[in-house]
Amino acid sequence: VSAGIGAPERLQRYAAAGFKRIAAFALLFVGWELGVRLSGISQIVLPAPSDIWLSFVQSQETILANTWITLQEIVLGFLAGGLFGSLVAIGIFYVPYLRRSLYPLLVGLHTVPKIAFAPLIVLWFGSGIESKLFLTLLLVFFPVLVNVFSGLKETEESKVMLARSYDVSEWFTFWKVRLPSALPLVFSGLKLGVVFASIGAIVAEFVSASEGVGALLINLTQYGRTAEAIAAVAVVVLMTLVLYGIVAYVERRVLFWRLAT
Amino acid sequence: VSEQPATATRPATPLIEQTRRYIADHRGVVDLLSLLVPLLLLWQFGTRALGISAIVLPTPLAILESVYANQGVLFEATLKTSQYVLLGFATGSVFGLVVGAAIAYSETLEEFLNPVLVVTFITPKIVLAPLLVLWFTAGPLYYTLMPFLFTFFPMIENTAQGVRGIDQQMKDLTRLFQANRWVRFRHVTAPHILPYVMAGLKIGTLQAISGVIVAEFVAPEQGLGFMLILGQQFARTELTFAAIFLVAVIGVGFYKAVELTERRVVFWETKAGDGL
């Protein structure tokens, strides 16, 4: 409703900052291109941006097909891990026994770098998509669990009391009081989860896979195809930024009342 | 004679009472053990009864036996991995501290580095591992660079946050007293940024371990990552479990060491248990 008094100035400042950034990156790429061309450095060591673009156009199909497989692993693993983590967090929150027994056990497991489980998971589930899904699920599970649990726990007690004074069901209190106040922390858990999901899928592909962008990267670098490898890394960077952007967008739509900050 | 049973039972009552009170006081530990012990017992004695082979899930004792039997190799691998964790962690923290402080003091630098920081936070830095092997080959530099990258970026972010958050009133106060550079650093800057730096270090330890392990997955030539891969490729599951166990030991060890240092250095902060 209110455009804000300083809006034009702010817009101007944003535009100026954006322009400076674009200029800086353009300068970086021009310097890179010229540096490679003038120094005559081998393409295997450091290809110029134009070489990278050309080899991306050339091997587009391979790179995108493999990224598509990884994307599926990330999304499915993220959804499964997020759902599972939330459910366990709710269970732990409502069952005092689990809160005292299972929760410290899981927090203890959380300090173990989950990446170390990758070879074991490959041993159990094979080199197919199952092992990637499982490692991704495992990596997403913990941050979501911890954040959902703390979100539920840190609900203001006075709000819960208010709901109780109206003699509503626990179900109603959960949906209308606890969950909304837990949501900011739930979303920080989900944002961490989406970052971890891509790590999980790619590390599992490093350990053992015939397809997916992790396997492709190992393959390309072993044959000294640096330009294509850098192109594949750039695609992964773009993909993860988009995935994170989607979660951040959903957060902004769901938590519209926190827009003020 | 008839008094005897009464006097005999009398000391027993406080004992039961004491036990009951003890259990009530240590409810958390008791409940934790009530879940953990049956789970371990089931794992040890139930797996074979359930028809789960040792290749799929070796028993806890078999895993400990494997640690004992392969102690030489595993010890060497643990040493190698921790060495690179420490090296990458130390260099990454120092560089991160310097760059973070520079960012906080220079607005232009922040403007240019901020998008880089955002991208490195969101995108998995591990995708660089194969390229780093290609560039530097699987040597000490490569195994140090991975944990370095994993510590460097969170450290920048935390340091910059700490420096930016310094209270303007405190700065004004030191100016009013015409305090010199050292006094300003010792009494205003350092106390304010230390909690942030310590938090960055805590994130850094766990990240650095993941960094080394992934580096060893991509170029399996040394360390616990190599042991993990070896166990998987030869279906020596108990070896894989033993290596996971040792990774956990390193992780908890480093984390606790940083946490203890934190309690010593920023003793005035009393944040009780921040989850992780």
Side-chain angles (χ1 to χ4, degrees), chain A residues 16-17 20-21 24-25 44-47 96-98 100-105 107-108 110-120 122-124 127 146 191-192 194-196 198-200 202-203 206-208 213-214 217-218 220-226 229-230 233 236-238 240-241 244, chain B residues 27-36 39 55-58 108 110-112 114-116 118-119 121-135 150 206-207 209-210 213-214 217-218 225 228-229 231-237 240-241 243-244 247-248 251-252 255 274-276:
Chain A
K20 266 197 244 167
R21 257 174 217 169
F25 279 99
I44 296 174
V45 178
L46 191 67
Y97 171 73
L98 291 180
R100 285 188 305 262
S101 59
L102 188 61
Y103 191 61
L105 214 68
V107 169
H110 193 21
T111 46
V112 182
K114 259 77 61 192
I115 292 293
F117 286 93
L120 182 69
V122 170
L123 229 156
W124 279 345
S127 295
V146 169
K191 281 195 284 189
L192 268 181
V194 83
V195 171
F196 283 153
S198 46
I199 295 177
I202 293 169
V203 168
F206 280 166
V207 170
S208 168
V213 81
L217 275 169
I218 299 262
L220 290 173
T221 50
Q222 267 169 359
Y223 292 101
R225 290 160 71 175
T226 317
I230 295 179
V233 167
V236 171
V237 167
L238 273 180
T240 48
L241 285 178
Y244 191 87
Chain B
R27 192 65 189 268
V29 182
V30 172
D31 280 349
L32 177 63
L33 289 177
S34 77
L35 185 72
L36 190 60
L39 265 181
I55 294 177
V56 175
L57 191 67
T108 17
E110 190 196 346
E111 234 164 61
F112 291 126
N114 234 355
V116 179
V118 172
V119 169
F121 170 71
I122 294 172
T123 62
K125 290 171 280 292
I126 45 143
V127 288
L128 290 176
L131 272 172
L132 293 177
V133 175
L134 181 80
W135 282 329
F150 274 67
L206 295 177
Q207 295 269 37
I209 293 165
S210 297
I213 298 293
V214 172
F217 283 168
V218 173
L228 288 165
I229 296 282
Q232 174 229 325
Q233 278 174 350
F234 292 96
R236 299 261 313 266
T237 318
T240 305
F241 266 105
I244 291 177
V247 172
V252 173
Y255 191 78
D274 44 347
L276 222 141

